[in-house]
Amino acid sequence: MTRRTLAKALPPALVALAVLAPFLLPAYKAQLTFLWIMIVFALSWDILGGETGYNSFGNIVFFGVGVYAAVVVQIGLFHDVAAYTAAAGTETLRFTPQQYFIGLAAGLIAAPLLAVLTALLLGWALLGLRGHYFAIATLGLGIAAGELAAAWPYLGGSSGVQVPVYPGSLESGRLLFYFLAAGLGLATLFALGGLYRTRLGLALNAIRDDEDKAEALGLHTPRYKIIAWCIAAATLGVAGGLVAHIIGFVDPREVAFAGASYGVWMVLMAILGGKGSLWGPVIGAALFHAMRELFWTYLFGWQNVAMGVLIVVVVVFFPTGILGWLRQRKPHWFARALPRATSPGESAP
Amino acid sequence: MDNLALLLQAPPLALQLVIDGVLIGSVFALAAYGMALVWGVMNIINVCQGEFVMLGGYVALYLARAGLQPLLGVPVAAAALFPVGWLCYRLVIFRIVEQDLFVSLLATFGLGILLSQVMNQVFGANVQSLDPGLGSWFLFQGLVSVSIMIWTVQPFGGLIFTVRSFMIVILAGLGNLPGVILAALGLGVAEQFVGFILGAQLQIAFVFLALVAILVLRSRWLHRQRRYLA
């Protein structure tokens, strides 16, 4: 099978697998849903991190903004948000199924819009920073966002917000959110695959390779960096809206702005698989998710220690990730065949 | 904001905050010196600096509980952390010294997560504190108290310490030793005021937001703005 036919067959095969998975493995629906969310995390981090070279520890801010935006819009369309959050869980809201789904749709549209707005503001302020200063500044933002949300009574403060309950059977709800998450994951994968082949992809890589030279060549680097961050923010915003409904409860520091956990893990997933490529983050996300489930099952209390060990091991021994390691060992897997020269004097086109 | 009114009504409270800030700021200065040393010599930003601080705190805490004279706990904790640092270097750091700064950032962050989770497992997630009974002085009819060394440690308090050290080192600049002390004391006092007026969560948010603000302002001051020939 040539590389060409593989590339052509892969997308439909992937879509088919995504559609069939919850029926083939019905007991693992929740894990599969989160697997797609992890893939979205890793892919969205990689846009700015691997492709543009701006390692951000704070992308979780957009996820959290999406979480709160989706929930507040959904509740706010039909009830009073401030009164609900002030009641801190003692009040249960009644939604008709129609209200729930309209709210859900509105929330999933508002979430990426608000996240992109945040990205525009933050990008304008922060994308002038370079290298490790950008990384630490975004780390600070990620944690600060969690504390600010915890201090804002409208969003429920430290008690968080109880998300409206799905009006239907548990199974149908799980199935719905699986397909929404899989849809998001596939859309992100295909969109980025197409994007990286355009001039935008080349521009981002140029910024990663040498930003000063790129500017000297006339590339408007701030615009491209902000575009990249906005794309990441949009996907993370939708992911946030979905996760809010899957988990059912929004805690500002553990669910929405989980900076020290998911915020760091999205970096790790992309690096584990191989940052700077399209499939690297996907592989990294899948492997990471599997390992995390294994750790949780077998190590319970010490799973987070194992996570720390994993981060150190990956960063120190596999900085280029699995794809990078494979590229070294089996370069012919990544080779592209050049067309033959037509005569001895001509070079290949 | 009620606390702000309180502050204006009773000025000695401001003195209390300044004294608290200076005392806690001196601890920040110690942590910042460590970070400045590693950064200056090896060009590594040690994100697990805060976890080392917490570990030292736990060592001193348990020694004080076991009966050791609290002031002696400080040098013993220092001696106990020395092999911890040596182990970290031998296992992790020496492999990443040659590589770029982001690798060291992520690796030390991983190390920090590792250490804080180990502390969480071993010592429990509660905030532990100990009053060593070294005496307090009360001024202004009890409005101001000066107490030496009340320890509070918790396993996840490391990251904010790291961020504070990083901020202090950036403000002072590498190699500027007196600057580190001034920046540290200033940060301690500022933090105490923000915490008193706005509350504990906003105090934590203030530390991280101040970091972002300092980085952005610093980059503007250093004229790294991108300008294009229109």
Side-chain angles (χ1 to χ4, degrees):
Chain A
M1 177 183 289
T2 66
R3 210 186 139 85
R4 259 256 176 92
T5 48
L6 190 67
K8 280 226 165 83
L10 201 52
L14 205 57
V15 174
L17 196 64
V19 168
L20 289 175
F23 304 108
L24 295 173
L25 301 165
Y28 293 98
K29 269 202 276 294
Q31 273 93 325
L32 287 173
T33 313
F34 265 98
L35 174 63
W36 283 109
I37 300 285
M38 291 289 161
I39 289 178
V40 171
F41 273 157
L43 280 173
S44 65
W45 183 84
D46 197 54
I47 304 172
L48 197 70
E51 300 285 337
T52 318
Y54 271 71
N55 303 296
S56 159
F57 277 111
N59 278 0
I60 198 78
V61 169
F62 309 123
F63 179 80
V65 165
V67 166
Y68 276 112
V71 173
V72 167
V73 163
Q74 181 176 31
I75 297 177
L77 276 178
F78 305 108
H79 299 269
D80 181 359
V81 177
Y84 177 58
T85 51
T90 54
E91 183 190 326
T92 328
L93 294 178
R94 300 246 164 268
F95 283 89
T96 68
Q98 199 185 18
Q99 284 178 333
Y100 180 88
F101 288 111
I102 293 179
L104 181 67
L108 289 179
I109 294 175
L113 285 177
L114 211 61
V116 169
L117 196 66
T118 314
L120 284 171
L121 285 168
L122 293 180
W124 173 80
L126 291 185
L127 281 171
L129 298 171
R130 290 286 185 95
H132 49 281
Y133 292 117
F134 179 74
I136 295 194
T138 48
L139 176 69
L141 264 181
I143 313 268
E147 295 296 327
L148 286 174
W152 193 357
Y154 181 74
L155 295 179
S158 294
S159 336
V161 187
Q162 183 76 32
V163 182
V165 181
Y166 178 77
S169 72
L170 202 60
E171 280 306 300
S172 70
R174 284 207 186 121
L175 218 62
L176 170 70
F177 285 108
Y178 168 81
F179 282 116
L180 284 176
L184 177 69
L186 286 171
T188 311
L189 186 64
F190 294 142
L192 288 181
L195 200 75
Y196 290 154
R197 289 196 205 122
T198 64
R199 281 196 77 217
L200 177 68
L202 283 178
L204 294 180
N205 289 345
I207 295 175
R208 171 189 63 195
D209 294 335
D210 193 324
E211 187 167 353
D212 293 318
K213 277 200 197 113
E215 281 181 14
L217 285 173
L219 208 65
H220 199 286
T221 51
R223 187 192 303 153
Y224 286 109
K225 288 188 284 189
I226 287 198
I227 290 177
W229 220 11
C230 286
I231 297 174
T235 50
L236 282 172
V238 182
L242 286 176
V243 169
H245 286 90
I246 295 170
I247 294 188
F249 180 74
V250 176
D251 180 285
R253 278 171 282 230
E254 300 294 323
V255 174
F257 296 104
S261 54
Y262 287 96
V264 178
W265 293 340
M266 64 169 83
V267 184
L268 182 67
M269 287 190 272
I271 292 185
L272 174 64
K275 63 176 179 172
S277 57
L278 181 66
W279 289 100
V282 178
I283 297 173
L287 210 61
F288 179 86
H289 190 61
M291 273 197 271
R292 202 158 152 254
E293 292 290 324
L294 283 173
F295 287 163
W296 193 87
T297 315
Y298 291 111
L299 295 178
F300 189 56
W302 293 81
Q303 51 155 339
N304 287 309
V305 178
M307 282 286 117
V309 174
L310 184 67
I311 294 178
V312 176
V313 165
V314 168
V315 171
V316 172
F317 295 104
F318 291 102
T320 48
I322 290 177
L323 275 191
W325 181 80
L326 271 180
R327 210 183 272 262
Q328 271 186 319
R329 294 301 179 92
K330 309 242 180 223
H332 49 272
W333 285 6
F334 295 86
R336 290 179 190 275
L338 289 175
R340 281 173 172 279
T342 50
S343 80
E346 284 173 32
S347 52
Chain B
M1 287 300 141
D2 309 320
N3 284 345
L4 183 61
L6 199 62
L7 206 59
L8 293 170
Q9 278 170 3
L13 280 177
L15 185 62
Q16 165 85 76
L17 292 175
V18 170
I19 293 176
D20 282 341
V22 165
L23 288 177
I24 197 99
S26 34
V27 179
F28 296 167
L30 279 176
Y33 274 131
M35 172 168 275
L37 186 65
V38 171
W39 192 349
V41 170
M42 285 195 283
N43 202 27
I44 286 181
I45 296 180
N46 183 21
V47 181
C48 59
Q49 182 77 2
E51 269 74 30
F52 290 157
V53 173
M54 286 295 135
L55 258 180
Y58 272 113
V59 169
L61 193 81
Y62 276 84
L63 284 175
R65 285 220 186 113
L68 183 69
Q69 166 70 272
L71 273 174
L72 283 183
V74 175
V76 173
L81 263 291
F82 193 90
V84 173
W86 182 84
L87 209 67
C88 287
Y89 178 81
R90 272 275 111 211
L91 291 177
V92 178
I93 308 287
F94 91 101
R95 295 177 211 270
I96 60 174
V97 179
E98 311 280 301
Q99 304 187 33
D100 67 17
L101 208 48
F102 174 65
V103 174
S104 71
L105 204 62
L106 201 54
T108 49
F109 201 1
L111 209 53
I113 291 179
L114 181 77
L115 288 172
S116 62
Q117 293 293 346
V118 167
M119 282 193 282
N120 187 26
Q121 287 296 114
V122 173
F123 298 120
N126 307 321
V127 179
Q128 304 194 36
S129 61
L130 178 71
D131 183 352
L134 285 176
S136 317
W137 291 271
F138 295 93
L139 311 170
F140 293 100
Q141 295 159 322
L143 273 178
V144 178
S145 69
V146 182
S147 322
I148 303 183
M149 281 165 46
I150 297 188
W151 284 304
T152 56
V153 284
Q154 59 127 329
F156 300 107
L159 186 62
I160 192 171
F161 247 98
T162 304
V163 167
R164 288 173 182 139
S165 319
F166 184 78
M167 253 204 288
I168 293 167
V169 173
I170 291 188
L171 272 175
L174 283 173
N176 180 7
L177 299 188
V180 167
I181 295 192
L182 278 177
L185 296 183
L187 179 65
V189 171
E191 232 186 89
Q192 291 298 316
F193 272 96
V194 170
F196 183 76
I197 296 176
L198 295 174
Q201 279 138 351
L202 286 176
Q203 177 179 350
I204 301 178
F206 165 75
V207 175
F208 290 97
L209 286 175
L211 169 73
V212 176
I214 288 170
L215 283 174
V216 173
L217 286 173
R218 178 183 167 278
S219 119
R220 302 262 151 130
W221 285 333
L222 292 176
H223 300 295
R224 287 185 195 252
Q225 289 159 330
R226 309 273 165 253
R227 294 202 193 275
Y228 291 88
L229 300 171

